Amino acid sequence: MIIQSLSRTSPAVYALIILLVLNLGVMAWFGYHWHQRYQDRYLDRAEQSLIDGNKAEAIRAFSAHMRDYPDDDSTAVRLEDLQQQYRRRYLDEAEAHLQTDDKVAAIKEYRSHIEDYPDDYEVRLKLARLYEELNINDASESMYRNIIEELSGSGNRVEAIARQRLLRHINEWANEIKIRADRLFEKGQFEAAAEEYTRVINLRSRNPALDAGDAVRGRAVAALNDVIAKRAFSLWRSGNEDALDDLTSGYDSEVFPETTVPADVMRQRTVMLSNYFWDYADRLFEREDWHHAAGMYKIAREMRNSIDTEGADPNTPTLLFNYAVSEHRAGNPRKALEAVQRLQRDYAYHEKAAVSRLSRELEDELGVNSEE
């Protein structure tokens, strides 16, 4: 039936059918090539970006292609390789600069890398270390603290390394400033020394060792207390008489956030401060500046009396004896005798011969005797 129908079809109809088939073929051909161009649009963009040397744009184009065609294994391999190359570009440059000891240029490359890969904590550790080596101390401390904060509780070994390095960095940084402050102190430049000691206090109050166990924290607190005492003494020597009235620090709230400064800490600071007055008095004593030496011994003695440590401190008899000698040579035999009598009463075996001899001299001078 169909064959008979076709046999009766005119040539014009045949031609129309052929044209229709050809048209469909052409449309299929164009459709196929359009689909290919659509499928390859990101790949073409990536290839052109690589020709232009723009790896970042090539990575974006390959990534867009993979979102549409996740099973394209060959493109996935190319993308991974390109990402590794792109990731290494700043690191390779940084390492090349380090080979020539150009740390400043290396820092620039590392920073550019971190802008793209902020979670690369290994590189951030390297950057913090370079800051240290160039004495860019604030940047180094900030870098270490950010790493610790971001990785806190994660168990990542980088956090532990950052904590150790921060502890060492703070200590070394504070010690450098303290050495400078001590030099100013020895030169008698007390106002400048006090400013430097304040910087040391600021650093030591941020020492992560203060958050450690009892033994480590105890040493860190003692180091902090010593600088607080020395700053107070420096301020006093520079004319600030009120400096001795308060041995607290503006950073105490950071060190002891849940309480006021503990009594044992204040006691330690007071003893340390009295020791600086004692040392100063000994220098005056050696110069035979008896009047001023006696005054310094008196201040040191009163400080120790205020915290009731004299009975337990084996060095106190030496302080009292030197004070007595200073008062005697300064022309104050009555004060000297009072100190000697306390020595004989409370420290009977301390330099007994020297104390007895001084006592006799004072009694003769005052016209009194031990039986009165």
Side-chain angles (χ1 to χ4, degrees):
M1 180 73 69
I2 296 174
I3 295 175
Q4 292 176 350
S5 298
L6 289 173
S7 64
R8 293 194 295 270
T9 303
S10 67
V13 173
Y14 279 118
L16 182 62
I17 292 173
I18 291 171
L19 288 173
L20 180 61
V21 171
L22 289 173
N23 186 54
L24 289 173
V26 170
M27 290 179 63
W29 184 85
F30 278 110
Y32 171 78
H33 283 279
W34 178 87
H35 176 74
Q36 283 298 111
R37 286 199 300 272
Y38 178 81
Q39 182 176 358
D40 295 343
R41 68 193 188 284
Y42 291 122
L43 298 180
D44 293 340
R45 186 188 305 172
E47 296 295 349
Q48 185 59 50
S49 297
L50 289 175
I51 293 172
D52 296 338
N54 190 342
K55 291 184 178 180
E57 182 59 34
I59 288 174
R60 283 192 286 270
F62 277 135
S63 298
H65 175 83
M66 291 304 300
R67 284 195 296 271
D68 292 340
Y69 305 98
D71 296 330
D72 188 344
D73 294 336
S74 62
T75 300
V77 171
R78 292 188 67 190
L79 174 59
E80 183 178 358
D81 180 62
L82 188 59
Q83 286 174 326
Q84 289 298 324
Q85 294 179 35
Y86 185 77
R87 182 183 180 88
R88 288 292 317 175
R89 70 197 189 287
Y90 293 123
L91 300 183
D92 291 340
E93 288 293 324
E95 289 166 11
H97 288 306
L98 289 176
Q99 291 296 320
T100 60
D101 202 34
D102 190 349
K103 295 177 181 177
V104 174
I107 284 175
K108 181 180 178 182
E109 300 299 337
Y110 278 141
R111 290 182 63 177
S112 295
H113 174 82
I114 290 172
E115 287 178 5
D116 291 338
Y117 303 98
D119 293 337
D120 193 338
Y121 292 102
E122 296 282 355
V123 172
R124 287 168 68 175
L125 275 179
K126 292 180 180 179
L127 180 56
R129 189 59 173 268
L130 283 177
Y131 281 140
E132 272 193 77
E133 293 174 2
L134 293 177
N135 290 321
I136 310 175
N137 294 312
D138 289 326
S140 180
E141 180 189 4
S142 177
M143 183 70 68
Y144 284 135
R145 290 192 183 279
N146 287 340
I147 292 172
I148 293 169
E149 180 180 354
E150 292 175 24
L151 293 180
S152 179
S154 66
N156 191 316
R157 69 179 186 83
V158 174
E159 179 192 359
I161 294 173
R163 286 187 183 277
Q164 293 172 356
R165 290 188 181 178
L166 178 60
L167 169 60
R168 174 187 47 74
H169 176 52
I170 289 291
N171 282 333
E172 291 179 356
W173 186 8
N175 288 339
E176 287 177 6
I177 299 173
K178 186 176 183 298
I179 289 171
R180 187 163 61 246
D182 287 341
R183 288 172 181 165
L184 293 168
F185 185 93
E186 293 300 322
K187 292 178 181 179
Q189 299 176 20
F190 296 108
E191 187 172 353
E195 292 179 0
E196 294 297 277
Y197 286 133
T198 298
R199 294 183 61 199
V200 178
I201 293 169
N202 180 12
L203 282 172
R204 288 189 171 169
S205 68
R206 304 202 303 265
N207 191 330
L210 294 169
D211 299 325
D214 291 342
V216 175
R217 176 179 167 83
R219 290 192 294 270
V221 170
L224 176 64
N225 290 344
D226 178 62
V227 181
I228 289 174
K230 205 161 190 178
R231 181 188 61 174
F233 183 74
S234 299
L235 289 171
W236 181 85
R237 289 291 303 273
S238 62
N240 185 352
E241 295 183 0
D242 296 333
L244 307 183
D245 296 335
D246 186 3
L247 277 177
T248 58
S249 162
Y251 304 102
D252 282 335
S253 60
E254 298 178 28
V255 182
F256 310 104
E258 298 179 358
T259 181
T260 57
V261 182
D264 62 322
V265 172
M266 289 303 297
R267 186 178 300 111
Q268 187 179 60
R269 292 179 185 179
T270 303
V271 170
M272 289 175 170
L273 180 57
S274 74
N275 286 341
Y276 287 119
F277 275 96
W278 192 341
D279 291 341
Y280 182 33
D282 284 342
R283 294 184 185 185
L284 295 169
F285 189 95
E286 291 172 2
R287 298 202 298 261
E288 298 185 358
D289 186 351
W290 308 116
H291 175 73
H292 289 107
M296 296 305 101
Y297 283 129
K298 182 179 180 181
I299 292 175
R301 173 186 170 187
E302 289 174 348
M303 286 183 179
R304 301 171 93 80
N305 284 341
S306 71
I307 54 176
D308 192 27
T309 62
E310 285 197 79
D313 187 345
N315 296 313
T316 298
T318 302
L319 186 158
L320 281 173
F321 183 72
N322 287 355
Y323 168 68
V325 172
S326 299
E327 289 287 20
H328 177 40
R329 302 288 176 81
N332 300 311
R334 179 65 63 182
K335 293 180 179 179
L337 183 58
E338 290 174 356
V340 167
Q341 289 173 340
R342 180 173 181 186
L343 268 172
Q344 291 175 317
R345 182 179 67 250
D346 297 336
Y347 306 94
Y349 297 100
H350 175 77
E351 298 289 343
K352 189 171 183 179
V355 172
S356 297
R357 185 166 55 251
L358 179 59
S359 177
R360 287 195 297 272
E361 290 179 15
L362 293 169
E363 289 173 355
D364 291 342
E365 187 175 342
L366 292 170
V368 298
N369 60 66
S370 58
E371 296 179 356
E372 290 182 351

